[in-house]
Amino acid sequence: MIWMSFLALAVITLLPAFLTLWRRAVARDERSAALALHEAQLVELDRDLASGMIAPAEHIVAQTEIQRRILVADRAPADTTERAKRWGVVVALMLIPVVAVGLYLTGGHPGFPAQPLAPRLEAIKARDAKAGEAIDKLKAMLATMAADDPSLRQGYILLGQAEAARGHDADAATAWRKALDLGFAPDLAIEVAEEQVRATGHISADSLDLYRRALDAAPKDAPWRQAVQQRIAQGEHEQEQP
């Protein structure tokens, strides 16, 4: 049944192109055009003779010359370039569904059951709801922990990672900032600054300060030193703007 659907879709898709090709007038070749031109010249020549514009002797000479040209043109081979091009396009169009089916058989899985969009959206929504519940529980647990609890900082780092995974940049920056206040680390300071930039769309004075502090505390061989220096230059430029 699925192959019949594929065939129907291919016919519906390619039918307008086929109709356009077959309805298109075939351009006349050089031989046909020359013959038509000379025949028109003969008609015009007879009209000039009838109106008295040329003498009978001139008519005979001109008629003989045109007839000679007709004989020469009639021996010329017909030009089939246009027809060949049209057939080339037809063959190319016919190859499209063949290639598509071949690719589907190579990388597709016809035996797999259908995967409608609605159930997948429901699954994503359920997963997000479950993640939200887990984050709420983590927040509640962190709220009950003592300020000097050594696990509190790691808890805020985990909370920031969870919020960042959901695309909640501002919430991730807030959680990581709390972890940073409990213990400064250059890598974490950069994470906070980057999340703040993603959340606000610009480098604020606070983010710029975090970049500077991270650069000052970073080891000399830190692989991200150059990137942070570029961020600092960008932030200073933005701060100078009115």
Side-chain angles (χ1 to χ4, degrees):
M1 186 64 182
I2 188 173
W3 300 111
M4 294 299 296
S5 301
F6 287 164
L7 179 61
L9 287 174
V11 171
I12 294 173
T13 303
L14 299 178
L15 185 59
F18 278 116
L19 292 177
T20 301
L21 284 174
W22 287 113
R23 288 176 180 174
R24 181 180 176 183
V26 180
R28 291 186 301 179
D29 54 35
E30 182 179 353
R31 170 177 170 273
S32 300
L35 289 174
L37 174 62
H38 296 326
E39 290 173 357
Q41 289 176 340
L42 285 176
V43 173
E44 184 68 21
L45 192 63
D46 292 339
R47 187 181 300 113
D48 292 343
L49 177 63
S51 63
M53 295 181 63
I54 60 175
E58 294 175 336
H59 175 268
I60 294 174
V61 173
Q63 186 181 49
T64 302
E65 175 61 22
I66 293 175
Q67 289 175 345
R68 184 190 66 80
R69 293 178 182 178
I70 290 176
L71 291 175
V72 173
D74 193 42
R75 296 192 188 101
D79 185 8
T80 58
T81 303
E82 183 69 22
R83 185 178 302 174
K85 289 181 179 179
R86 185 174 63 172
W87 276 108
V89 175
V90 171
V91 172
L93 289 174
M94 294 177 65
L95 285 176
I96 291 176
V98 175
V99 173
V101 171
L103 291 175
Y104 179 73
L105 292 176
T106 302
H109 301 280
F112 275 15
Q115 296 183 354
L117 179 61
R120 285 184 286 164
L121 292 177
E122 290 296 331
I124 294 174
K125 188 182 297 184
R127 185 182 61 194
D128 290 343
K130 187 175 181 180
E133 293 176 0
I135 289 176
D136 291 339
K137 291 180 180 179
L138 179 58
K139 289 180 179 179
M141 183 184 69
L142 293 174
T144 61
M145 295 176 65
D148 57 350
D149 191 324
S151 300
L152 184 60
R153 182 175 182 274
Q154 185 61 32
Y156 278 120
I157 292 177
L158 293 176
L159 177 60
Q161 292 173 347
E163 295 288 12
R166 295 201 303 170
H168 296 181
D169 298 321
D171 294 334
T174 300
W176 280 337
R177 186 57 185 261
K178 291 180 179 179
L180 190 66
D181 292 340
L182 294 173
F184 185 85
D187 293 344
L188 185 57
I190 294 174
E191 292 286 357
V192 175
E194 287 295 309
E195 287 298 324
Q196 288 178 343
V197 172
R198 278 191 285 267
T200 61
H202 69 280
I203 300 177
S204 64
D206 183 51
S207 299
L208 182 59
D209 180 65
L210 288 174
Y211 284 128
R212 288 169 174 164
R213 291 174 59 191
L215 188 63
D216 292 340
K220 298 296 183 181
D221 58 347
W224 40 260
R225 288 187 67 90
Q226 185 176 0
V228 172
Q229 289 172 347
Q230 293 176 352
R231 278 296 203 186
I232 292 174
Q234 179 184 353
E236 291 175 345
H237 176 72
E238 291 183 5
Q239 294 299 314
E240 293 174 357
Q241 300 300 316

